[in-house]
Amino acid sequence: MDKVEIGNLAKDCYKILEKEIREMNHANIIITGKTGVGKSTLINSVFREKLAEVGIGRPVTKGIKLLTKENVPIRIYDTKGLELGKDSQKETKKEIHDTINQCLRTNDPDKYIDVIWYCVNTQSARLEENGEAKWIDELSNTGFTSVPVIIVLTKAYSKKQAFELKKEIEGYNLNVAAIVPVLAENFELDGSREPIKAYGGDKLIEITFQLLPESSRKAFVNAQRANVKMKSATARKIVAATVAATFGEGFVPIPFGDTPVLMATQVGMIASITSVYGIDLNKAMITAIISSIVGSSTMALIGRTLSANLLKLIPGYGSVAGGLVSGATAAVLTTALGEAYIRIMELVASGKMKKEDLANKKGIKTMQSIFKNEFKNALKKTK
Ligand SMILES: Nc1nc2c(ncn2[C@@H]2O[C@H](COP(=O)(O)OP(=O)(O)OP(=O)(O)O)[C@@H](O)[C@H]2O)c(=O)[nH]1
Ligand SMILES: [Mg+2]
């Protein structure tokens, strides 16, 4: 493939990606709880941008701030810490209900509040004091609509303490969907002891996901970072769907000589996986990714392997015009491409590879070796 062809594929891929992001709905979450319970820390740890720090805060009501960031398909409504007084509690609840109702009145599902995270400090006193339990119980129903509430037990340094508090709250039979202990950031102990490792964020993301309407789920998977498995599982579904599609296409051109390995379906797959990981790639990065996949050394390997192993096995191959093979072969290539691309996105998402490196020599080498490996793996599975 020449530079122009690769450039065109990259352009297509970029266009699809832009469109996906532009058309994606948002997930909308209200987060509330007493002052200092760890709301901001939680937001910054479970989403892929530190929204509580870098997000643009726009006041919605006196006590509610909307946190957003461009290209992150989530809206966080951060409430000012709840004070203990009855009047303050009443006012905060009214503001929350007003916000939910207002969003509902837009008649735009993209704006609807999907879930409320109510944060309780795991070390806090019993919930029935100050009427907090009753307050939580009344939170989910605004009079017009009902929004699920998850109680997040924040700063859950001690799992035992979190477990006991959870039991206690369960005893109140509140109108809540789940109670989830989370330690959002490692807790450093003094002296030589190991810090207590952060945990629970992945669980909170999983439970929240289950409560979301279908229309918000894509956005939520994109915006979250605490649940890596959710990203890879979603990406693998996309690969499986693409494999099924290429199968359906029957005979598909494969990369002998100058024939492009990447067809529209695979380009779409790459764009969709990128959007699952929520990694902002520019055109140069996408071009580098595509050229490292269809680059000559990779293609040579594929060509050799395929002609040695696979083509012989495909009945009637000899009668097919040169360069056309069955859906089975296309499936191997698509699987390899998808798996390799997931590996690359994981490296970038986990910080093991800088996305800027995708466009340089080192990055291209890494990607080529990943793709070759995945190609061999995919081929093995067919045997
Ligand atoms: N180690 C550790 N510290 C935490 C955790 N959650 C909160 N903290 C600390 O607790 C303090 C308060 O956390 P914030 O996230 O600012 O609490 P907040 O609810 O946003 O507070 P307000 O916005 O003022 O109501 C900060 O010093 C955090 O570093 C956690 O999971 N682990
Ligand atoms: Mg805060």
Side-chain angles (χ1 to χ4, degrees):
M1 272 186 106
D2 63 21
K3 275 210 167 113
V4 177
E5 285 176 289
I6 291 173
N8 285 341
L9 282 176
K11 233 183 259 164
D12 289 349
C13 187
Y14 190 73
K15 259 194 227 147
I16 300 170
L17 181 59
E18 264 191 327
K19 185 164 180 281
E20 280 218 16
I21 305 271
R22 200 174 49 239
E23 289 174 0
M24 197 181 277
N25 268 345
H26 288 70
N28 302 291
I29 299 179
I30 292 181
I31 181 162
T32 184
K34 286 183 196 160
T35 306
V37 288
K39 299 181 291 295
S40 299
T41 310
L42 179 69
I43 294 168
N44 287 340
S45 76
V46 295
F47 297 110
R48 64 179 168 81
E49 297 279 350
K50 292 193 181 313
L51 289 168
E53 258 169 43
V54 303
I56 303 163
R58 180 169 67 77
V60 179
T61 66
K62 227 167 70 194
I64 298 181
K65 223 170 51 179
L66 174 58
L67 302 174
T68 55
K69 185 163 188 275
E70 208 189 340
N71 289 335
V72 186
I74 194 153
R75 301 190 190 95
I76 305 287
Y77 293 80
D78 187 12
T79 63
K80 199 177 69 182
L82 257 185
E83 305 301 330
L84 296 180
K86 277 262 167 294
D87 287 346
S88 159
Q89 279 184 334
K90 209 167 151 187
E91 188 172 326
T92 306
K93 185 164 67 198
K94 184 173 180 311
E95 289 192 23
I96 290 175
H97 283 177
D98 286 351
T99 304
I100 294 171
N101 290 337
Q102 266 168 31
C103 291
L104 191 65
R105 270 188 229 111
T106 62
N107 274 323
D108 178 1
D110 175 52
K111 302 266 167 56
Y112 297 170
I113 302 295
D114 296 308
V115 64
I116 299 171
W117 286 352
Y118 184 81
C119 298
V120 178
N121 183 342
T122 302
Q123 277 95 59
S124 67
R126 298 169 69 86
L127 272 198
E128 73 227 281
E129 282 170 29
N130 310 307
E132 200 176 357
K134 185 162 175 286
W135 193 86
I136 299 170
D137 203 38
E138 293 167 356
L139 206 52
S140 75
N141 201 319
T142 72
F144 285 101
T145 187
S146 159
V147 174
V149 176
I150 296 177
I151 295 184
V152 185
L153 305 181
T154 52
K155 303 191 191 181
Y157 313 126
S158 153
K159 284 188 181 165
K160 181 167 170 279
Q161 214 173 0
F163 179 79
E164 280 162 8
L165 182 59
K166 188 174 174 202
K167 275 261 158 291
E168 182 207 318
I169 299 175
E170 276 164 2
Y172 300 143
N173 277 321
L174 302 179
N175 192 8
V176 298
I179 304 168
V180 191
V182 177
L183 181 59
E185 271 177 11
N186 287 355
F187 183 57
E188 304 293 336
L189 298 162
D190 43 315
S192 57
R193 287 187 293 168
E194 286 285 304
I196 301 173
K197 285 256 166 62
Y199 70 92
D202 55 344
K203 189 90 186 275
L204 176 62
I205 292 299
E206 178 61 39
I207 290 173
T208 303
F209 178 84
Q210 298 299 340
L211 294 169
L212 294 179
E214 189 58 41
S215 59
S216 304
R217 286 184 163 179
K218 208 170 178 180
F220 188 69
V221 175
N222 168 306
Q224 65 87 17
R225 69 170 174 138
N227 195 319
V228 182
K229 276 194 193 137
M230 182 178 283
K231 294 224 194 242
S232 56
T234 309
R236 294 217 157 87
K237 274 187 202 149
I238 293 169
V239 176
T242 312
V243 167
T246 47
F247 238 104
E249 283 164 10
F251 290 98
V252 182
I254 57 147
F256 293 116
D258 280 347
T259 321
V261 64
L262 291 173
M263 270 70 57
T265 7
Q266 281 106 338
V267 167
M269 174 178 79
I270 287 193
S272 298
I273 295 175
T274 311
S275 131
V276 165
Y277 282 88
I279 293 168
D280 294 329
L281 297 180
N282 60 32
K283 266 184 214 154
M285 292 163 186
I286 292 179
T287 309
I289 291 167
I290 291 180
S291 56
S292 65
I293 291 164
V294 297
S296 55
S297 77
T298 318
M299 282 308 100
L301 170 90
I302 292 174
R304 272 198 313 275
T305 321
L306 282 183
S307 48
N309 293 306
L310 246 172
L311 297 184
K312 290 193 289 219
L313 306 177
I314 299 167
Y317 173 67
S319 64
V320 177
L324 293 181
V325 293
S326 75
T329 307
V332 170
L333 284 171
T334 306
T335 306
L337 178 59
E339 286 295 327
Y341 195 62
I342 290 172
R343 290 271 320 279
I344 293 161
M345 289 292 100
E346 276 175 353
L347 286 178
V348 176
S350 65
K352 285 183 192 136
M353 185 167 172
K354 286 205 201 100
K355 68 178 180 185
E356 287 72 24
D357 281 345
L358 290 172
N360 65 30
K361 257 193 181 151
K362 191 174 143 237
I364 290 175
K365 259 206 139 126
T366 310
M367 287 190 286
Q368 282 181 342
S369 89
I370 289 174
F371 183 62
K372 280 180 197 169
N373 259 333
E374 291 302 336
F375 177 65
K376 284 178 195 156
N377 285 343
L379 204 56
K380 255 186 231 152
K381 281 191 197 132
T382 64
K383 287 187 181 157

